Amino acid sequence: MHIAIEGCLHGELEKVYATIAEIEQAENINISLLLCCGDFQSMRNLADLRCMAVPDKYKELGSFWKYYAGIEKAPLLTIFIGGNHEASNFLQELPYGGWVAPNIYYLGYAGVVDVNGLRIGGMSGIFKGGDYLKGRYEIPPYDKWSMRSVYHTRNLDIFRMKQMESSPPDIMMSHDWPRGIHDYGNTKRLLARKKHFEEDITNNQLGSGPAMEVLQTLKPQYWFSGHLHVKFAAVVKHGEADTDKSTKFLALDKCLPSRGFLQILTVGPEVGPNEEVILSHDPKWLAVLKATNHLLSTSSKYNHMPFHSAEYDGDKHLEEIRELDLRIHPDSFKATAVPFDPQSPEGRQPKVQKALNMVADPENILPNPQTQFLCKVLEIDDPVVVLAKSGDKKPERKQAEEQKTPEKDTSSRLDLSAYLPTPSQDIDPDTKISLSGDEDYDDLGFEIDTKGAAGADEELGFVVDTKGATSNEDKRDSQSQKTDSSADQSPVVKKLKRRNVAMYKSEDSD
Ligand code: 5GP
Ligand code: MN
């Protein structure tokens, strides 16, 4: 099947889908699946936007809410992992994965699924040493610490993924790069394009150590990442012999004009143009979840993992799990929040910051019917329920700082799908909150190169590339390092650059 892989989405679903449609037409192919490597930004409404770790002045709602509200429909199955800019309160509802909108599936903190026989795994978040060993204690309303630690990778999810060793997925995704992966590709070229990685590369601090451990344990055929906003390819050989496995790594850029943000790959079983694309749970992964359920922690204290043992690989549960209906039914999506309404008083605000001040922080996480169902079938704990019950959900500094907020009644659950607004196509552009949703696709420079990417990418057999003009990309990167005010940069590009620089210079940076 043909699949598309995207780096960081940053809320630009419509643009990525439009690019995929262009490629399908130009290449006369049918793309069955889109994989997104994090910073997806599945904001349903402004309250979700308040939970995303980005300084207020850089916050944008993006286009996801239209898919959530049913105004737009994802044209192909889309699977994503979380990054460090997410609607973290919403993703917390789905720790073991689930639909966030029709045809758009989140893999959870970690997860493995099956698409027509192709097995895809992923791990959400980014690595930060100080939080790695802690349980998942964060709960909305977040303070400035928990808003960040909520997306930091935890040892339990890595431990679980390592249990897949005997039956690894074909494809793996992580938002940050596996640490040291740069050594397996053209580091010189990477540094020529991203000089500011030099210090981290020298100190071997670029990327996630645990992600590299998983790569070396599972040895998957492919590994895709985002986060560092550059296209970069590498091959990790897992032994000296020709017959030994190797992992083809590809990092992709974020969705911006003239950037290497999308890759088309032909992989796995063939899927005909009229054939149904079927998403299913991976039985081995569910078996691992079951076998490690007792290791779940919602405490901010360290939660050490046991030594590797067959006890946790789930094989003892495999037979009973294979008996279950493993299909993830497309109609099992259920809305759990009221989506953004452009006609509401806050929706009519031309400035995001003002609109954000008109809504309150989410006060809790509601149990999500998809998580409840999966946990019931597997007879495991729903982490959201465990968290709600646990006394130790907030570290001391947070408790001390917290201001009293009025209690909201969250005891009864509504089926909110009945309250969705009537789909409307003609939203007044003046009331549109996204600052980056106005460009004409034709002007974005999404050229399609059928010759394939040059250099390392070509060696890897990534045959169709959306841009391919590697030399132009090189030029652009080196120019943009010299000056931030080059004439070809849109205000949005400049704004994102300023935001990244500001964030990674600040002490709370990731
Ligand atoms: P994000 O979109 O996640 O806020 O930011 C990604 C940007 O931050 C990338 O363009 C990258 O340059 C920078 N960045 C992220 N992580 C690191 C890191 O560990 N080291 C360095 N030097 N830069 C990073
Ligand atoms: Mn990121």
Side-chain angles (χ1 to χ4, degrees), residues 8 10 39 84-85 175 194 196-197 200 205-207 227-229 254 499-500 503-504 510:
C8 304
H10 290 295
D39 286 350
N84 55 321
H85 303 302
H175 183 58
K194 298 278 174 186
H196 63 288
F197 293 164
D200 282 349
Q205 279 181 345
L206 191 67
H227 193 48
L228 294 185
H229 297 172
K254 64 184 162 186
R499 188 208 74 185
N500 285 338
M503 283 179 58
Y504 286 92
D510 290 300

Side-chain angles (χ1 to χ4, degrees), residues 105-380:
Y105 191 85
Y106 165 57
L107 270 182
Y109 290 134
V112 182
V113 292
D114 178 296
V115 177
N116 292 37
L118 180 69
R119 294 173 66 232
I120 298 149
M123 302 178 306
S124 293
I126 57 172
F127 174 76
K128 195 80 173 181
D131 291 318
Y132 182 62
L133 300 174
K134 293 178 184 171
R136 292 207 180 259
Y137 63 88
E138 298 88 350
I139 194 164
Y142 304 123
D143 59 21
K144 66 174 181 172
W145 293 286
S146 61
M147 195 181 285
R148 284 168 180 78
S149 62
V150 69
Y151 56 71
H152 291 154
T153 325
R154 302 295 158 89
N155 56 353
L156 172 59
D157 302 305
I158 299 292
F159 181 81
R160 284 175 162 164
M161 197 51 84
K162 284 182 183 167
Q163 307 307 314
M164 298 297 290
E165 186 174 4
S166 63
S167 161
D170 305 298
I171 293 178
M172 278 294 294
M173 291 190 276
S174 63
H175 183 58
D176 46 0
W177 297 14
R179 183 164 290 180
I181 194 75
H182 45 78
D183 286 341
Y184 299 87
N186 191 337
T187 319
K188 218 170 127 196
R189 188 170 151 231
L190 175 67
L191 278 172
R193 296 177 64 181
K194 298 278 174 186
K195 208 170 168 353
H196 63 288
F197 293 164
E198 193 159 9
E199 199 182 322
D200 282 349
I201 286 182
T202 309
N203 301 326
N204 196 22
Q205 279 181 345
L206 191 67
S208 160
M212 183 48 107
E213 284 172 31
V214 173
L215 188 151
Q216 279 164 342
T217 307
L218 302 189
K219 310 177 176 59
Q221 210 184 335
Y222 293 100
W223 190 293
F224 300 108
S225 297
H227 193 48
L228 294 185
H229 297 172
V230 64
K231 189 169 179 179
F232 175 77
V235 184
V236 181
K237 292 204 168 79
H238 301 288
E240 298 294 308
D242 287 351
T243 48
D244 286 331
K245 285 185 178 177
S246 62
T247 299
K248 294 172 179 177
F249 172 81
L250 187 69
L252 289 150
D253 210 331
K254 64 184 162 186
C255 176
L256 277 178
S258 313
R259 305 285 282 256
F261 67 89
L262 199 70
Q263 180 68 51
I264 308 299
L265 180 68
T266 307
V267 64
E270 232 175 272
V271 176
N274 299 318
E275 207 174 312
E276 200 181 356
V277 175
I278 295 176
L279 178 70
S280 306
H281 287 292
D282 185 81
K284 168 79 177 170
W285 175 254
L286 295 189
V288 169
L289 282 186
K290 194 171 165 88
T292 55
N293 180 54
H294 62 292
L295 300 175
L296 178 77
S297 162
T298 55
S299 157
S300 58
K301 297 198 177 81
Y302 285 178
N303 178 33
H304 293 285
M305 289 299 114
F307 285 112
H308 185 77
S309 136
E311 204 183 319
Y312 310 107
D313 69 6
D315 283 358
K316 61 183 174 209
H317 302 298
L318 255 183
E319 215 169 299
E320 52 169 307
I321 284 173
R322 286 213 172 96
E323 299 289 309
L324 302 170
D325 171 15
L326 291 173
R327 178 148 189 205
I328 304 173
H329 290 275
D331 55 6
S332 53
F333 163 71
K334 272 257 184 256
T336 49
V338 178
F340 173 68
D341 177 2
Q343 303 307 332
S344 63
E346 59 276 16
R348 288 178 172 278
Q349 284 295 329
K351 289 245 185 294
V352 186
Q353 287 72 35
K354 251 192 158 165
L356 279 170
N357 290 335
M358 293 167 74
V359 298
D361 282 324
E363 282 292 312
N364 218 327
I365 324 164
L366 293 175
N368 187 296
Q370 297 178 72
T371 307
Q372 285 179 313
F373 179 74
L374 183 69
C375 292
K376 195 168 167 216
V377 170
L378 291 180
E379 297 173 315
I380 60 172

Side-chain angles (χ1 to χ4, degrees), residues 31 68 73-74 77 96-97 124 149 218 278 294 377 483 490 509:
I31 298 175
Y68 189 75
K73 167 100 204 269
L77 174 62
Y96 298 146
S124 293
S149 62
L218 302 189
I278 295 176
H294 62 292
V377 170
T483 166
S490 72
S509 75

Side-chain angles (χ1 to χ4, degrees), residues 137 139-141 298 300 391-399 402:
Y137 63 88
I139 194 164
T298 55
S300 58
D392 175 39
K393 55 190 176 195
K394 289 163 193 170
E396 274 160 29
R397 72 175 169 201
K398 185 173 171 182
Q399 277 165 354
E402 213 166 55

